[in-house]
Amino acid sequence: MLRVHSFESLGTYDGPGIRLVAFLQGCNFKCLYCANADTIELKGGTETSVDEILAMAQNQKPFFGKKGGLTFSGGEPLVQAKQLLPVVKALKENGFHVCIDTNGSILNDDVKAVLEYTDIVLLDIKHIDNEQHKLLTGKSNEKTLAFVEYLNKINKPVWLRYVLVPGYSDNHQHLHQLGEHFKAYDNVEKLEIQPYHELGAHKYEHLGWEYQLKGVKANTQEQLDSAQSILNNYFKEVVIN
Protein backbone atom coordinates (compact mmCIF):
# COMPACT_ATOMS: atom_id res chain seq x y z
CA MET A 1 0.00 0.00 0.00
CA LEU A 2 1.27 3.44 -0.94
CA ARG A 3 0.99 6.29 1.53
CA VAL A 4 -0.49 9.10 -0.58
CA HIS A 5 -0.71 12.68 0.60
CA SER A 6 -3.03 13.85 -2.18
CA PHE A 7 -3.95 13.56 -5.85
CA GLU A 8 -4.17 16.25 -8.51
CA SER A 9 -6.34 15.63 -11.57
CA LEU A 10 -5.75 17.27 -14.95
CA GLY A 11 -2.20 18.31 -14.06
CA THR A 12 -0.23 20.06 -16.81
CA TYR A 13 3.12 20.81 -15.13
CA ASP A 14 4.42 17.37 -14.17
CA GLY A 15 5.26 15.59 -17.40
CA PRO A 16 3.86 15.55 -20.93
CA GLY A 17 0.17 16.07 -21.65
CA ILE A 18 -2.65 15.94 -19.11
CA ARG A 19 -1.77 13.91 -16.02
CA LEU A 20 -3.04 12.44 -12.80
CA VAL A 21 -0.44 13.41 -10.19
CA ALA A 22 -0.03 11.42 -6.96
CA PHE A 23 1.85 13.26 -4.21
CA LEU A 24 3.33 10.59 -1.96
CA GLN A 25 4.06 11.07 1.72
CA GLY A 26 7.62 11.29 3.03
CA CYS A 27 10.85 12.93 1.89
CA ASN A 28 14.51 12.54 2.82
CA PHE A 29 15.29 16.18 1.93
CA LYS A 30 14.10 19.30 3.72
CA CYS A 31 14.46 21.99 1.06
CA LEU A 32 14.26 25.56 2.32
CA TYR A 33 11.70 26.48 -0.34
CA CYS A 34 9.61 23.28 -0.29
CA ALA A 35 6.08 23.99 -1.53
CA ASN A 36 4.78 20.71 -0.05
CA ALA A 37 6.28 20.84 3.44
CA ASP A 38 3.37 18.78 4.77
CA THR A 39 4.63 15.83 2.70
CA ILE A 40 8.10 15.75 4.30
CA GLU A 41 7.27 13.71 7.41
CA LEU A 42 7.15 9.97 6.71
CA LYS A 43 4.07 9.50 8.88
CA GLY A 44 0.69 10.52 7.59
CA GLY A 45 -0.95 10.19 4.21
CA THR A 46 -3.65 7.76 3.17
CA GLU A 47 -2.88 4.11 2.44
CA THR A 48 -3.89 3.53 -1.17
CA SER A 49 -3.91 0.23 -3.03
CA VAL A 50 -2.79 -0.67 -6.54
CA ASP A 51 -6.39 -1.30 -7.54
CA GLU A 52 -7.53 2.11 -6.27
CA ILE A 53 -4.87 3.95 -8.27
CA LEU A 54 -5.49 1.83 -11.36
CA ALA A 55 -9.22 2.58 -11.11
CA MET A 56 -8.50 6.32 -10.90
CA ALA A 57 -6.23 6.06 -13.94
CA GLN A 58 -8.86 4.19 -15.93
CA ASN A 59 -11.48 6.77 -14.95
CA GLN A 60 -9.33 9.68 -16.13
CA LYS A 61 -7.88 7.96 -19.20
CA PRO A 62 -10.15 9.88 -21.64
CA PHE A 63 -8.41 13.11 -20.62
CA PHE A 64 -4.85 11.82 -21.09
CA GLY A 65 -4.82 11.76 -24.87
CA LYS A 66 -1.70 10.40 -26.57
CA LYS A 67 0.88 12.04 -24.28
CA GLY A 68 -0.70 12.10 -20.81
CA GLY A 69 -0.63 9.62 -17.96
CA LEU A 70 0.38 9.42 -14.31
CA THR A 71 3.11 11.17 -12.36
CA PHE A 72 4.32 10.21 -8.89
CA SER A 73 5.67 13.15 -6.96
CA GLY A 74 5.87 14.10 -3.31
CA GLY A 75 7.52 14.33 -1.03
CA GLU A 76 10.03 11.96 -2.49
CA PRO A 77 8.23 9.05 -4.19
CA LEU A 78 11.26 6.77 -4.21
CA VAL A 79 11.27 6.70 -0.40
CA GLN A 80 8.39 4.26 -1.00
CA ALA A 81 9.98 2.47 -3.97
CA LYS A 82 9.11 -1.02 -2.69
CA GLN A 83 5.42 -0.09 -2.40
CA LEU A 84 5.49 1.91 -5.64
CA LEU A 85 6.84 -0.96 -7.75
CA PRO A 86 3.60 -3.00 -8.08
CA VAL A 87 1.71 0.21 -8.86
CA VAL A 88 3.89 1.31 -11.78
CA LYS A 89 4.09 -2.27 -13.03
CA ALA A 90 0.29 -2.52 -13.12
CA LEU A 91 0.00 0.87 -14.83
CA LYS A 92 2.45 -0.08 -17.57
CA GLU A 93 0.73 -3.44 -18.08
CA ASN A 94 -2.46 -1.46 -18.70
CA GLY A 95 -0.83 0.89 -21.19
CA PHE A 96 -0.37 4.04 -19.08
CA HIS A 97 2.50 6.54 -19.41
CA VAL A 98 4.39 6.90 -16.11
CA CYS A 99 6.61 9.71 -14.82
CA ILE A 100 8.54 9.82 -11.54
CA ASP A 101 9.38 13.23 -10.05
CA THR A 102 12.40 12.66 -7.80
CA ASN A 103 15.37 14.33 -6.13
CA GLY A 104 17.47 11.37 -7.29
CA SER A 105 19.08 10.68 -3.93
CA ILE A 106 17.98 7.04 -3.61
CA LEU A 107 19.29 4.28 -5.85
CA ASN A 108 18.73 0.71 -4.69
CA ASP A 109 17.32 -2.48 -6.24
CA ASP A 110 13.71 -1.37 -5.63
CA VAL A 111 14.35 1.98 -7.30
CA LYS A 112 16.06 0.33 -10.26
CA ALA A 113 13.03 -1.94 -10.65
CA VAL A 114 10.65 1.06 -10.53
CA LEU A 115 12.69 2.77 -13.23
CA GLU A 116 12.14 -0.20 -15.56
CA TYR A 117 8.44 0.75 -15.61
CA THR A 118 9.04 4.52 -15.82
CA ASP A 119 8.81 6.40 -19.12
CA ILE A 120 10.33 9.73 -18.04
CA VAL A 121 12.18 10.80 -14.90
CA LEU A 122 11.54 14.36 -13.79
CA LEU A 123 14.78 14.97 -11.90
CA ASP A 124 14.94 17.87 -9.46
CA ILE A 125 18.43 19.32 -9.48
CA LYS A 126 18.58 21.58 -6.44
CA HIS A 127 22.10 22.92 -7.04
CA ILE A 128 25.23 21.87 -8.91
CA ASP A 129 27.53 23.20 -6.17
CA ASN A 130 27.69 20.70 -3.31
CA GLU A 131 27.97 23.26 -0.51
CA GLN A 132 25.06 25.29 -1.86
CA HIS A 133 23.10 22.06 -2.26
CA LYS A 134 23.68 21.27 1.42
CA LEU A 135 22.52 24.78 2.33
CA LEU A 136 19.28 24.39 0.35
CA THR A 137 18.44 20.77 1.20
CA GLY A 138 20.51 19.67 4.18
CA LYS A 139 22.09 16.92 2.05
CA SER A 140 24.97 16.46 -0.41
CA ASN A 141 24.27 16.34 -4.16
CA GLU A 142 26.64 13.40 -4.73
CA LYS A 143 23.91 10.75 -4.73
CA THR A 144 21.76 12.81 -7.10
CA LEU A 145 24.61 13.20 -9.59
CA ALA A 146 25.31 9.45 -9.37
CA PHE A 147 21.59 8.82 -10.00
CA VAL A 148 21.72 10.91 -13.18
CA GLU A 149 24.76 8.97 -14.29
CA TYR A 150 22.81 5.72 -13.84
CA LEU A 151 19.88 7.12 -15.83
CA ASN A 152 22.28 8.01 -18.63
CA LYS A 153 23.77 4.51 -18.51
CA ILE A 154 20.34 2.88 -18.98
CA ASN A 155 19.31 5.59 -21.46
CA LYS A 156 16.25 6.65 -19.45
CA PRO A 157 14.68 9.91 -20.71
CA VAL A 158 15.13 12.78 -18.22
CA TRP A 159 13.62 16.21 -17.78
CA LEU A 160 15.74 18.24 -15.38
CA ARG A 161 13.92 20.66 -13.08
CA TYR A 162 15.70 23.58 -11.44
CA VAL A 163 14.17 26.04 -8.97
CA LEU A 164 15.70 29.49 -9.50
CA VAL A 165 15.94 30.94 -5.98
CA PRO A 166 17.23 34.54 -5.93
CA GLY A 167 20.49 34.71 -4.01
CA TYR A 168 20.73 30.93 -3.69
CA SER A 169 20.59 29.18 -7.07
CA ASP A 170 20.66 31.98 -9.65
CA ASN A 171 24.41 32.66 -9.70
CA HIS A 172 25.49 32.79 -13.35
CA GLN A 173 28.73 30.91 -12.72
CA HIS A 174 26.78 28.05 -11.12
CA LEU A 175 24.31 28.01 -14.01
CA HIS A 176 27.21 27.60 -16.43
CA GLN A 177 28.60 24.79 -14.23
CA LEU A 178 25.20 23.10 -14.31
CA GLY A 179 25.14 23.27 -18.09
CA GLU A 180 28.71 22.05 -18.48
CA HIS A 181 28.00 19.05 -16.25
CA PHE A 182 24.96 17.88 -18.20
CA LYS A 183 25.62 18.98 -21.76
CA ALA A 184 26.97 15.57 -22.80
CA TYR A 185 24.00 13.61 -21.40
CA ASP A 186 22.05 12.55 -24.49
CA ASN A 187 19.15 11.26 -22.39
CA VAL A 188 18.42 14.73 -20.94
CA GLU A 189 15.60 15.95 -23.17
CA LYS A 190 14.97 19.33 -21.58
CA LEU A 191 15.50 21.54 -18.56
CA GLU A 192 12.60 23.25 -16.81
CA ILE A 193 13.33 26.44 -14.89
CA GLN A 194 10.87 26.65 -12.02
CA PRO A 195 10.38 30.15 -10.61
CA TYR A 196 10.76 30.57 -6.86
CA HIS A 197 7.58 31.33 -4.92
CA GLU A 198 6.37 31.38 -1.30
CA LEU A 199 3.13 29.48 -1.94
CA GLY A 200 4.07 26.81 0.59
CA ALA A 201 5.24 29.17 3.35
CA HIS A 202 1.95 29.01 5.28
CA LYS A 203 2.37 25.25 5.63
CA TYR A 204 5.52 25.81 7.70
CA GLU A 205 3.54 27.88 10.22
CA HIS A 206 0.93 25.12 10.45
CA LEU A 207 3.69 22.57 11.11
CA GLY A 208 5.35 24.80 13.70
CA TRP A 209 8.47 25.24 11.55
CA GLU A 210 10.18 28.50 10.68
CA TYR A 211 10.23 29.39 6.99
CA GLN A 212 13.90 30.10 6.25
CA LEU A 213 13.50 32.18 3.10
CA LYS A 214 11.38 35.02 4.44
CA GLY A 215 12.15 38.17 2.50
CA VAL A 216 13.37 36.37 -0.63
CA LYS A 217 11.47 37.96 -3.49
CA ALA A 218 9.94 36.14 -6.43
CA ASN A 219 12.01 36.12 -9.61
CA THR A 220 11.80 39.04 -11.96
CA GLN A 221 11.20 38.23 -15.61
CA GLU A 222 14.69 39.54 -16.31
CA GLN A 223 16.21 37.00 -13.89
CA LEU A 224 14.29 34.15 -15.50
CA ASP A 225 15.17 35.25 -19.02
CA SER A 226 18.84 35.60 -18.08
CA ALA A 227 18.99 32.09 -16.65
CA GLN A 228 17.22 30.69 -19.70
CA SER A 229 19.66 32.48 -21.99
CA ILE A 230 22.64 30.90 -20.20
CA LEU A 231 21.18 27.39 -20.06
CA ASN A 232 20.10 27.50 -23.71
CA ASN A 233 23.79 27.09 -24.54
CA TYR A 234 23.85 23.61 -23.02
CA PHE A 235 20.44 21.92 -23.34
CA LYS A 236 18.26 20.84 -26.26
CA GLU A 237 15.31 22.71 -24.77
CA VAL A 238 14.97 25.11 -21.83
CA VAL A 239 11.53 26.23 -20.68
CA ILE A 240 10.27 28.45 -17.86
CA ASN A 241 7.39 26.76 -16.04
Side-chain angles (χ1 to χ4, degrees):
M1 301 279 278
L2 274 181
R3 301 196 72 85
V4 179
H5 173 271
S6 57
F7 289 96
E8 177 188 349
S9 298
L10 306 179
T12 58
Y13 290 101
D14 298 291
I18 305 295
R19 311 193 70 79
L20 171 61
V21 185
F23 296 94
L24 305 190
Q25 190 70 34
C27 187
N28 57 336
F29 279 12
K30 197 171 184 179
C31 299
L32 298 184
Y33 52 79
C34 181
N36 298 320
D38 46 348
T39 67
I40 293 176
E41 296 291 339
L42 291 172
K43 61 184 178 181
T46 302
E47 290 192 347
T48 311
S49 69
V50 175
D51 289 342
E52 288 174 292
I53 294 176
L54 191 57
M56 291 180 69
Q58 296 285 11
N59 186 51
Q60 297 190 27
K61 189 174 183 178
F63 300 102
F64 294 158
K66 293 182 179 179
K67 293 183 178 180
L70 288 88
T71 297
F72 294 92
S73 185
E76 169 49 54
L78 297 182
V79 167
Q80 298 189 60
K82 185 181 292 292
Q83 295 77 19
L84 182 58
L85 178 57
V87 178
V88 294
K89 183 178 180 182
L91 289 169
K92 290 309 299 175
E93 288 174 348
N94 283 272
F96 289 101
H97 187 278
V98 174
C99 289
I100 303 291
D101 180 11
T102 175
N103 63 36
S105 63
I106 304 171
L107 185 60
N108 53 36
D109 289 343
D110 290 323
V111 170
K112 290 177 180 179
V114 167
L115 292 173
E116 291 181 19
Y117 299 98
T118 302
D119 294 288
I120 296 175
V121 175
L122 311 177
L123 187 67
D124 300 298
I125 294 293
K126 312 298 184 179
H127 211 294
I128 194 63
D129 180 85
N130 196 30
E131 293 307 312
Q132 290 298 312
H133 192 278
K134 290 177 183 176
L135 176 65
L136 281 172
T137 72
K139 299 287 181 66
S140 166
N141 66 5
E142 293 176 0
K143 290 184 177 179
T144 299
L145 296 181
F147 187 87
V148 187
E149 185 65 34
Y150 176 76
L151 295 178
N152 187 46
K153 178 181 176 182
I154 64 173
N155 198 31
K156 183 66 63 176
V158 173
W159 292 7
L160 295 181
R161 318 183 97 185
Y162 188 80
V163 180
L164 197 72
V165 185
Y168 287 82
S169 59
D170 62 343
N171 178 280
H172 286 189
Q173 180 181 347
H174 289 146
L175 293 177
H176 280 291
Q177 289 176 1
L178 179 73
E180 288 289 348
H181 185 92
F182 289 108
K183 68 180 182 181
Y185 285 67
D186 292 334
N187 63 318
V188 175
E189 297 183 346
K190 71 158 77 172
L191 182 140
E192 299 178 339
I193 297 173
Q194 299 183 312
Y196 166 75
H197 58 73
E198 290 186 336
L199 296 181
H202 69 282
K203 297 180 181 180
Y204 286 75
E205 295 180 16
H206 179 72
L207 292 165
W209 301 347
E210 183 178 355
Y211 188 68
Q212 299 291 321
L213 297 183
K214 288 179 181 176
V216 176
K217 304 294 185 183
N219 308 103
T220 65
Q221 191 60 48
E222 182 181 3
Q223 289 172 332
L224 294 168
D225 290 343
S226 179
Q228 185 179 35
S229 178
I230 290 171
L231 295 168
N232 272 333
N233 294 304
Y234 303 100
F235 296 96
K236 302 167 189 174
E237 181 182 2
V238 179
V239 299
I240 299 171
N241 271 357

